[in-house]
Amino acid sequence: MNQNLYALFESRFPADRTQPLLILESGKIVSYGEAEAWAARYAALFASRGLVPGDRIAVQVDRSPEALLLYLGCLRAGLAYLPLNNAYREAEVRYFLENAEPRAVVGQPSAMAWLEPLAASLGIANVFSLDTQGGGTLQPAAAAMPDRFETIERAPDDLAAILYTSGTTGRSKGAMLSHRNLGSNALVLHRAWGFRPGDVLVHMLPLFHVHGLFVASHCVLLNGGAMRFHAKFDAGRAIADFAQSTVFMGVPTLYTRLLAEPALTPEACAKMRLFTSGSAPLLAETHQEFQRRTGQRILERYGMTETGMLTSNPLEGERRAGSVGPALPGVEVRVVDDAGRDCATGAIGNVIVRGPNVFAGYWRMPEKSAEEFTAEGFFRTGDLGSLSADRYLTIVGRSKDLIISGGYNVYPKEVELAIDELPGVQESAVVGVPHPDFGEAVTAVVVPRQGTEPANEGSIIAALKQRLANFKVPKRVYFVDELPRNTMGKVQKNVLRERFDPRKAAP
Ligand code: MCA
Ligand code: AMP
């Protein structure tokens, strides 16, 4: 049997292909039949341009129905889909294209001025553009293609997608996800979260990360059901949609923004059966406040780009605020000490995981990949946690130096390297401090370089916006004479986090 993930989805599509897959804000519907036909056209287009199974295709576009159907087309063609955050700037995209060597790139029309020459300089012959309305060069080229395509045979371990995650060294690594990784996780979530006929999901998450592209979309595709698909997150529109929907998936920032809306009432959510949260820690207060305001208990789950979803609070049974729940079926989750021994119940240790959902390694980084796995094949998540007697996992922190801002990951090293290159800067340290909207806010602490024109907060932020995606740019920059260091000379980031915590007195 064809193990292509698309073939799995197709086996669950409704017999009546006029049924909706996407319900757009305009009320327009994209049916399963149309999705199938467009996915066929995209697949045929890339095949006609000489792309063969295993080739990479990089996609950096704004959210649109076409972007989702493009992903399905790439699966059908057996290509490895490489989605890029639409906030990435030219310098960031250059690295991904150099590293992944895609045969085709799809970008926003507004990016073509730099993307076309960049692709040309790297020998990428196929460049297409796509905007939020289906405008650009991709659609006309695909429209000329046949609307049928025999989905390419794939084996379970063949590559379906590469998703880049930043690293503690500042260099991004491409997590290689196979058809089995994605398919096994989708099946487990679809079952664990009780998807059933008639479910309608409100989809407002980005389509370039695991949460929106895989977790949310895959559950709907496996259900053969519909999603109400929006241009972007909007709390008011989400609440209006809840009257006609049953499931919502969000990062914690979306829940705090929903809570700020007076329209969020038990009546507005009466038809909803499931709210899930993940990608960043959900405060127990948010969980409790949401229950008080709506009568609904948010189901928190935990995962990673490299692994898909690992644990989930149960659909039936206790959804414990502050815990990410027990391991999902088929996933092994352990908490171990630095010597690799299992920790006692309740003791804090390193979270390590194994399962069919866990990736095989990072693109073209065999040594780095090997370091991340134990001898028994468990992947080291870099998260710190503890397991209760009934095996609920609580994430208490991270051993990796990572900031999660509004559900987006920011590795301080990458931002520090960019700041240190700026004139007037001697050195810098970047930390996450509590933020009411984004959970954590990227914050820079800078030591000025003596004898040069001093940098200031505004100039540093403006310079970084040229180079880095906006969510990585520090919300605040503070200046100090020297960075606090321990006896080993390592910067004490905990001291900085404490000192520049905006909830405390002004630093
Ligand atoms: C936007 N800005 C941000 C963020 N988003 N700054 C820091 N962190 C962010 N996350 C910037 C904007 O560029 C703008 O900057 C300013 O903040 C205010 O923008 P705003 O209009 O409020 O932003 P928005 O467009 O409403 O976006 C906020 C958002 C978005 C909806 C929360 O960040 C989002 O969709 N987050 C979800 C991310 C996600 O899906 N993560 C899943 C990763 P300026 O004023 O300077 O222009 S997958 C994952 O983590 C794993 C596998 C898992 O477990 O799911
Ligand atoms: P990413 O690399 O974008 O896949 O982010 C994965 C990281 O997000 C994990 O290693 C955790 O640190 C964090 N994460 C995801 N879900 C949760 C959650 N529910 N609670 C706490 N941290 C989470």
Side-chain angles (χ1 to χ4, degrees):
M1 207 179 99
N2 187 357
Q3 300 295 314
N4 189 312
L5 178 62
Y6 182 85
L8 172 64
F9 294 148
E10 196 181 20
S11 70
R12 306 289 194 95
F13 285 178
D16 173 6
R17 296 291 211 262
T18 65
Q19 290 295 309
L21 167 62
L22 306 178
I23 304 167
L24 309 183
E25 278 175 18
S26 61
K28 192 173 163 271
I29 276 170
V30 178
S31 69
Y32 272 88
E34 287 167 302
E36 241 177 347
W38 274 105
R41 292 186 187 106
Y42 292 127
L45 172 64
F46 298 125
S48 77
R49 296 295 177 101
L51 274 72
V52 294
D55 278 346
R56 278 80 57 208
I57 172 164
V59 177
Q60 188 193 31
V61 295
D62 284 331
R63 209 178 136 72
S64 69
E66 289 77 13
L68 186 64
L69 306 184
L70 172 61
Y71 162 59
L72 296 180
C74 293
L75 287 177
R76 293 193 77 171
L79 304 175
Y81 191 72
L82 197 169
L84 295 171
N85 192 316
N86 58 0
Y88 292 149
R89 313 301 303 241
E90 180 179 352
E92 294 163 301
V93 173
R94 169 182 287 279
Y95 171 79
F96 299 124
L97 300 188
E98 281 174 354
N99 190 256
E101 298 184 300
R103 293 277 307 279
V105 185
V106 184
Q108 297 158 93
S110 59
M112 286 301 132
W114 56 265
L115 189 56
E116 274 177 340
L118 174 60
S121 72
L122 298 172
I124 304 169
N126 299 290
V127 181
F128 298 96
S129 58
L130 174 66
D131 70 16
T132 53
Q133 308 299 316
T137 58
L138 181 71
Q139 291 303 93
M145 294 288 144
D147 61 5
R148 283 173 187 277
F149 184 88
E150 186 148 353
T151 298
I152 297 288
E153 289 273 337
R154 294 277 78 191
D157 291 330
D158 284 337
L159 201 52
I162 300 182
L163 269 72
Y164 276 82
T165 75
S166 298
T168 40
T169 56
R171 269 187 77 202
S172 284
K173 302 163 290 181
M176 296 190 289
L177 298 162
S178 67
H179 289 262
R180 186 210 318 265
N181 293 151
L182 299 180
S184 66
N185 211 228
L187 286 166
V188 163
L189 294 178
H190 181 264
R191 177 177 286 239
W193 294 342
F195 273 86
R196 55 194 187 210
D199 266 334
V200 177
L201 176 134
V202 180
H203 197 307
M204 290 190 167
L205 286 165
L207 287 175
F208 34 71
H209 288 304
V210 166
H211 201 161
L213 184 63
F214 298 154
V215 179
S217 306
H218 288 181
C219 281
V220 172
L221 287 159
L222 278 187
N223 206 42
M227 57 181 120
R228 301 184 68 86
F229 188 85
H230 289 265
K232 68 188 286 275
F233 174 72
D234 180 296
R237 282 181 192 269
I239 295 167
D241 261 15
F242 292 163
Q244 304 164 76
S245 312
T246 59
V247 182
F248 178 76
M249 298 186 186
V251 301
T253 298
L254 304 198
Y255 285 102
T256 44
R257 290 188 181 186
L258 286 171
L259 282 168
E261 297 290 316
L264 186 78
T265 59
E267 298 71 39
C269 301
K271 196 162 183 282
M272 294 291 290
R273 71 166 185 86
L274 182 62
F275 286 89
T276 72
S277 176
S279 310
L282 182 75
L283 293 177
E285 293 100 271
T286 311
H287 186 279
Q288 283 144 8
E289 177 68 2
F290 202 82
Q291 183 165 7
R292 201 182 60 73
R293 285 277 300 280
T294 64
Q296 304 262 354
R297 293 172 304 142
I298 298 173
L299 179 154
E300 187 174 8
R301 57 54 175 187
Y302 155 70
M304 286 184 79
T305 299
E306 289 91 333
T307 64
M309 298 303 102
L310 296 161
T311 72
S312 172
N313 275 281
L315 189 64
E316 310 292 343
E318 189 191 356
R319 296 185 197 166
R320 201 169 291 169
S323 163
V324 294
L328 282 159
V331 181
E332 294 169 83
V333 173
R334 288 167 58 196
V335 171
V336 299
D337 63 17
D338 287 344
R341 289 177 302 240
D342 285 288
C343 292
T345 299
I348 293 168
N350 305 299
V351 179
I352 61 172
V353 299
R354 188 165 70 176
N357 49 315
V358 177
F359 78 141
Y362 297 108
W363 173 254
R364 292 188 180 157
M365 288 188 182
E367 280 134 41
K368 179 79 199 152
S369 306
E371 277 171 25
E372 304 289 340
F373 286 88
T374 69
E376 299 145 299
F378 279 82
F379 174 64
R380 302 178 214 273
T381 63
D383 291 310
L384 300 173
S386 65
L387 282 168
S388 66
D390 54 359
R391 308 293 293 170
Y392 274 59
L393 179 70
T394 299
I395 302 291
V396 298
R398 304 165 200 138
S399 60
K400 55 194 173 191
D401 192 12
L402 164 69
I403 300 168
I404 306 184
S405 169
Y408 286 141
N409 288 8
V410 181
Y411 277 86
K413 191 75 193 167
E414 184 185 3
V415 185
E416 289 161 1
L417 289 173
I419 297 176
D420 293 352
E421 279 181 14
L422 299 177
V425 174
Q426 174 76 36
E427 61 171 342
S428 62
V430 167
V431 293
V433 299
H435 188 277
D437 186 31
F438 294 129
E440 287 184 284
V442 178
T443 302
V445 184
V446 170
V447 179
R449 181 180 291 279
Q450 299 300 320
T452 58
E453 179 74 19
N456 60 49
E457 180 171 31
S459 68
I460 289 183
I461 289 178
L464 291 178
K465 281 193 172 180
Q466 303 298 314
R467 291 203 43 188
L468 299 176
N470 51 17
F471 64 89
K472 299 179 191 168
V473 175
K475 301 289 181 214
R476 292 299 314 267
V477 180
Y478 298 101
F479 293 89
V480 294
D481 291 336
E482 60 180 334
L483 296 173
R485 293 184 188 276
N486 65 15
T487 47
M488 309 290 287
K490 196 166 180 284
V491 176
Q492 291 169 303
K493 292 207 163 176
N494 52 337
V495 173
L496 294 175
R497 272 191 288 271
E498 184 85 4
R499 177 159 166 213
F500 294 101
D501 183 339
R503 299 169 309 179
K504 308 225 162 91

